[in-house]
Amino acid sequence: MAEQESKHYDVTMQEEECFYPPVEFIGQANCTDPSIYERFSLENFPECFKEHADLLDWDDYWHTTLDTSDAPCWKWFVGGKLNVCHNCVDRHLQQHRNKTAIYFVPELEEERIQKITYQELYRRVNETAAILRDFAGLKAGDRVTLHLPMTPELPITMLACARLGVIHSEVFSGFSGKACADRIWDSESEVLITMDAYYRSGNLIDHKSKADEAVEAADKQGQKVNKVLIWQRYPGTYNGEQSIVEGRDYFMNDLLQQYKGSEVEPVSMPAEEPLFLMYTSGSTGRPKGCVHSTGGYLAYVAWMSKYVQDIHPEDVYWCMADIGWITGHSFIVYGPLAVAGSTVIYEGVPTYPDPGRPWRVAEELGVNIFHTSPTAIRGLRKAGGDLPLQYNHQFKHMTTVGEPIEPEVWRWYYNVVGKGKAVVVDTWWMTETGGFLCSTMPAVDPMKPGSAGPGLPGIYPVVLDDEGKEIQPGENRAGNLCIRNPWPGGMQSIWKNRERYVKTYYSPYNKDPNSTDWRDWPYMAGDAAVIASDNYVRILGRVDDVLNVAGHRLGTKEIESAALTVDEVAEAAVVSVQDEVKGTVPDLYVSLKPGEEPSEDLARRISTAVSDVVGKIARPAHVYIVADMPKTRSGKIMRRILASISNRKDVGDVMTLANPHIVEEIRQQVQG
Ligand code: WT7
């Protein structure tokens, strides 16, 4: 751990009061048995994970639950064969043929909501698979890049790939053509599947031109794309700006005419073959292609969907993430469909045309399970304080995921969105992990605002200091969050880069690189965390988000949560600024709820709140009240840009942000 400093820091956040799962929820939950943790004890590892695999249909049952011979590349359910598309579609036809599998909610409110039954999904997936196999020539093991927005054609294409054993690599539609090209190149895809256009904030925006850029840029890098398959937002009408390239570009809608009624036999795949790649950014520039498996991954997300998301076939489940991220793969598509759920796909932004939209959708469709991120929750809270109370939706279960959630914001989610009647799970995991690692079991454990909860059954989190020594639960010291044991949903490797995989996640705490004992290979997540005496894990943020003020490390979230205790504050982001005396000091950026006015007095109160809640050491050098935060298109606050402004450094390229203009405004405010 040479590159990291070996100082530890004391955690000053106070313990939050617990909330208990509502009895109505417990009465219907899929898991209410506290002894589940014993069933998944380390003594029962790895065989306990048979329970996950048994949720699936297997063509051949496996002979080895966990094979560690190529550690730390773990192989689960070895010898088993299955097809993911069969498990998510075909096997449900008998009982759920006419049940809605997918609700598609277009962004335009006047456009009809589409209901796709399991029968209809079966037909559309088969016809699509026939095109991919017979027209595009794709076969098991080939990679194909998808650059698709949030419409049903995205899961249909993913499932068609899965039916054939073709490895899909979906690139988030908000990413540029250039970013798409990097992923085409890395995965060596010869086919790109895209859509002509989609809605964003009320406008039908062109998407096809990104495919042209991507193909051109990939070609320069040496990867030739032979075919571009284009779904149309309105079948039969082309809304792209660029013309069609003869002999390369094909409309799916035209091809479908020839493949009407086609059926494609699902290809029985070894459990250990990859199902998909999901690229994610690391500390270096080049994105990492996380390789997710067929059997282990599907078993894991199916179990999580049934027991942590508590999805029953009669539920209507809405995860507001984008399928272009891992959350969408695992918890819009594969997990919910594996357990015969009804999953909602919403095309657009949550606040279009107004912040009441999510609650109207929930009312209309009878959504009873809701899943979103702290950023979205803060946005909705900022846009309209009590608005959800004016709607008649009623959730039984809500999820928060992706970032630490400030206790103030958690309580708003619980009281206002959930009306105090829904259980909340704060699920901690990563692109690399395939599914949840830490969360409360919703009908078993109390909820603690701001804490993810304990390791899920069969998952053993531990916090290690930089020397590899365990920090005990309740010690009130933070360190590097690790998982002691492998689990079936974990990535198999980084595509074509085993070395980077081992180095990033496993080398930091491995003492014997030749060991094939999983106990020698703790997985290092890259998050700083503290484990309380009740084993609840509180995530402080990525290790690179940790501030070091005068030799004390402080979690950015501790300071931000403190700022959020001031009533007027909607969002807060803290960055570290070079300081001659103290090394670094925190600068705090905040945005206010609508109708609130910035003032020096308010800035002072925020500053006082931080030093009151966290300690004087955390008192911000400056509090900047800004009109809005610079954000990525996926809604994450770009602290890096704020840090550059505070440190008077070049902010770099900001054009990929959702709101690039705000950067210059903030720069002038801060630097004059
Ligand atoms: C990072 C992974 C897989 C979820 C979507 C993000 C942060 C994730 C939580 C949570 C606090 C969280 C971590 C993690 N994170 N969930 N419940 N509480 N932080 O996936 O883009 O791969 O990011 O998101 O810092 O390392 P990702």
Side-chain angles (χ1 to χ4, degrees):
M1 309 271 347
E3 69 273 23
Q4 290 188 15
E5 299 153 67
S6 53
K7 287 171 205 139
H8 69 262
Y9 65 99
D10 300 326
V11 176
T12 50
M13 257 169 158
Q14 70 225 22
E15 275 294 300
E16 296 290 332
E17 210 178 301
C18 284
F19 290 69
Y20 292 87
V23 284
E24 299 77 32
F25 178 79
I26 297 173
Q28 58 80 65
N30 280 327
C31 172
T32 53
D33 179 7
S35 75
I36 187 157
Y37 288 105
E38 283 145 47
R39 240 164 51 229
F40 283 87
S41 69
L42 267 182
E43 293 83 78
N44 295 336
F45 180 87
E47 299 309 322
C48 53
F49 283 109
K50 178 179 185 299
E51 180 172 321
H52 293 53
D54 283 345
L55 292 174
L56 306 180
D57 274 8
W58 293 81
D59 302 328
D60 294 331
Y61 213 63
W62 70 89
H63 51 71
T64 306
T65 306
L66 173 63
D67 173 356
T68 64
S69 59
D70 189 29
C73 294
W74 316 111
K75 295 190 176 60
W76 286 89
F77 311 127
V78 181
K81 287 177 109 181
L82 75 167
N83 182 275
V84 166
C85 183
H86 166 84
N87 273 283
C88 291
V89 184
D90 304 30
R91 69 165 171 158
H92 303 319
L93 292 180
Q94 215 176 349
Q95 275 189 53
H96 303 295
R97 179 179 299 271
N98 295 319
K99 187 183 119 69
T100 300
I102 295 174
Y103 289 98
F104 172 54
V105 182
E107 195 191 59
L108 295 187
E109 210 157 3
E110 56 272 27
E111 211 173 291
R112 190 178 60 85
I113 292 179
Q114 293 174 27
K115 297 179 185 173
I116 302 172
T117 62
Y118 273 97
Q119 177 65 41
E120 170 90 359
L121 183 61
Y122 174 82
R123 181 183 64 75
R124 292 180 66 177
V125 167
N126 270 278
E127 291 172 353
T128 304
I131 294 176
L132 298 187
R133 185 186 65 186
D134 300 339
F135 178 75
L138 293 167
K139 56 181 190 316
D142 291 348
R143 278 82 54 208
V144 53
T145 297
L146 280 44
H147 197 200
L148 291 168
M150 284 290 281
T151 70
E153 286 74 13
L154 173 49
I156 286 169
T157 308
M158 289 163 65
L159 290 163
C161 290
R163 197 166 186 85
L164 300 170
V166 170
I167 304 168
H168 59 74
S169 165
E170 152 73 3
V171 178
F172 171 55
S173 62
F175 278 150
S176 65
K178 173 73 177 71
C180 185
D182 291 342
R183 290 154 176 80
I184 290 173
W185 171 78
D186 191 75
S187 63
E188 298 163 301
S189 300
E190 292 176 7
V191 175
L192 172 63
I193 306 179
T194 189
M195 185 169 258
D196 60 340
Y198 63 97
Y199 280 96
R200 197 85 195 149
S201 302
N203 302 309
L204 186 60
I205 60 169
D206 167 60
H207 188 58
K208 157 56 162 75
S209 57
K210 287 184 176 174
D212 297 301
E213 288 161 27
V215 171
E216 193 187 324
D219 197 36
K220 283 207 185 105
Q221 288 173 265
Q223 180 58 43
K224 182 123 184 65
V225 172
N226 302 321
K227 284 193 172 65
V228 177
L229 304 181
I230 307 162
W231 289 104
Q232 286 157 302
R233 175 63 177 76
Y234 296 103
T237 309
Y238 180 56
N239 282 300
E241 278 166 13
Q242 301 298 317
S243 50
I244 293 304
V245 177
E246 203 64 40
R248 185 198 77 182
D249 296 357
Y250 301 90
F251 290 122
M252 288 297 280
N253 189 55
D254 296 346
L255 296 169
L256 278 170
Q257 311 308 320
Q258 305 157 42
Y259 290 91
K260 265 209 180 93
S262 299
E263 297 213 356
V264 171
E265 190 60 27
V267 177
S268 192
M269 295 297 292
E272 271 309 291
E273 285 301 308
L275 175 63
F276 66 86
L277 307 181
M278 171 63 65
Y279 284 86
T280 187
S281 26
S283 43
T284 64
R286 190 172 155 195
K288 305 180 274 199
C290 298
V291 185
H292 283 289
S293 73
T294 299
Y297 171 82
L298 192 68
Y300 199 71
V301 299
W303 195 96
M304 295 296 151
S305 296
K306 180 161 181 183
Y307 295 112
V308 181
Q309 298 292 282
D310 200 56
I311 301 175
H312 304 241
E314 57 274 21
D315 291 328
V316 180
Y317 170 84
W318 183 14
C319 170
M320 224 166 53
D322 194 292
I323 299 173
W325 311 114
I326 191 72
T327 303
H329 275 50
S330 300
F331 297 112
I332 298 177
V333 181
Y334 288 120
L337 295 179
V339 298
S342 294
T343 187
V344 176
I345 295 180
Y346 173 56
E347 179 178 26
V349 297
T351 49
Y352 182 84
D354 60 69
R357 185 68 186 281
W359 325 125
R360 289 198 293 280
V361 171
E363 261 183 356
E364 182 171 350
L365 298 182
V367 173
N368 63 346
I369 309 179
F370 185 66
H371 183 149
T372 193
S373 65
T375 292
I377 300 167
R378 285 189 295 258
L380 290 162
R381 174 175 176 257
K382 179 178 175 182
D386 288 347
L387 197 61
L389 294 175
Q390 295 165 29
Y391 289 89
N392 289 320
H393 69 276
Q394 187 57 63
F395 300 137
K396 69 166 184 176
H397 182 293
M398 307 192 299
T399 300
T400 166
V401 63
E403 313 152 64
I405 186 165
E406 298 83 352
E408 285 296 315
V409 176
W410 191 99
R411 282 187 281 267
W412 183 80
Y413 194 37
Y414 178 82
N415 288 318
V416 180
V417 178
K419 304 174 182 174
K421 291 181 186 159
V423 76
V424 176
V425 292
D426 182 342
T427 58
W428 171 78
W429 60 300
M430 317 162 61
T431 303
E432 290 86 339
T433 73
F436 309 145
L437 294 177
C438 292
S439 164
T440 50
M441 285 297 286
V444 172
D445 302 309
M447 305 166 252
K448 204 199 282 180
S451 282
L456 280 161
I459 302 294
Y460 290 87
V462 58
V463 171
L464 301 177
D465 71 12
D466 294 340
E467 279 79 50
K469 276 207 293 293
E470 249 183 83
I471 298 174
Q472 295 304 320
E475 250 189 75
N476 241 358
R477 280 201 295 143
N480 290 307
L481 180 56
C482 297
I483 307 294
R484 290 179 202 274
N485 59 299
W487 64 95
M491 71 194 289
Q492 300 175 302
S493 188
I494 294 174
W495 183 251
K496 294 193 305 190
N497 204 340
R498 187 187 198 271
E499 197 185 317
R500 187 173 176 195
Y501 164 79
V502 178
K503 189 164 167 257
T504 309
Y505 307 102
Y506 288 101
S507 294
Y509 289 117
N510 168 259
K511 294 191 186 78
D512 173 9
N514 296 316
S515 172
T516 57
D517 184 343
W518 57 264
R519 292 169 193 82
D520 291 328
W521 296 96
Y523 167 84
M524 190 183 82
D527 278 320
V530 59
I531 304 185
S533 49
D534 54 10
N535 285 324
Y536 277 44
V537 177
R538 201 166 62 209
I539 309 295
L540 301 173
R542 302 291 304 172
V543 281
D544 33 25
D545 276 346
V546 171
L547 306 180
N548 185 329
V549 181
H552 298 260
R553 284 210 233 160
L554 293 165
T556 51
K557 274 295 147 186
E558 295 185 83
I559 299 176
E560 291 165 8
S561 290
L564 266 289
T565 63
V566 177
D567 215 39
E568 291 90 335
V569 175
E571 291 184 302
V574 69
V575 299
S576 74
V577 188
Q578 303 305 319
D579 180 273
E580 262 182 24
V581 181
K582 297 179 176 172
T584 55
V585 292
D587 259 2
L588 181 63
Y589 289 81
V590 298
S591 68
L592 304 180
K593 293 178 191 161
E596 301 294 349
E597 290 299 325
S599 69
E600 274 182 28
D601 171 61
L602 178 56
R604 249 193 313 276
R605 277 196 287 126
I606 295 168
S607 184
T608 306
V610 173
S611 53
D612 282 351
V613 177
V614 188
K616 280 214 182 74
I617 184 82
R619 183 193 285 274
H622 301 95
V623 175
Y624 298 113
I625 302 177
V626 297
D628 200 357
M629 298 285 184
K631 286 194 188 136
T632 62
R633 292 191 199 177
S634 64
K636 286 205 175 166
I637 299 175
M638 286 297 284
R639 292 181 177 74
R640 183 181 59 73
I641 288 172
L642 297 172
S644 301
I645 293 174
S646 276
N647 287 299
R648 291 166 195 265
K649 288 193 191 131
D650 182 13
V651 294
D653 182 12
V654 300
M655 288 322 288
T656 56
L657 295 184
N659 53 353
H661 64 277
I662 199 73
V663 175
E664 182 54 24
E665 202 179 296
I666 299 175
R667 198 190 63 75
Q668 292 201 5
Q669 180 181 348
V670 172
Q671 301 178 358

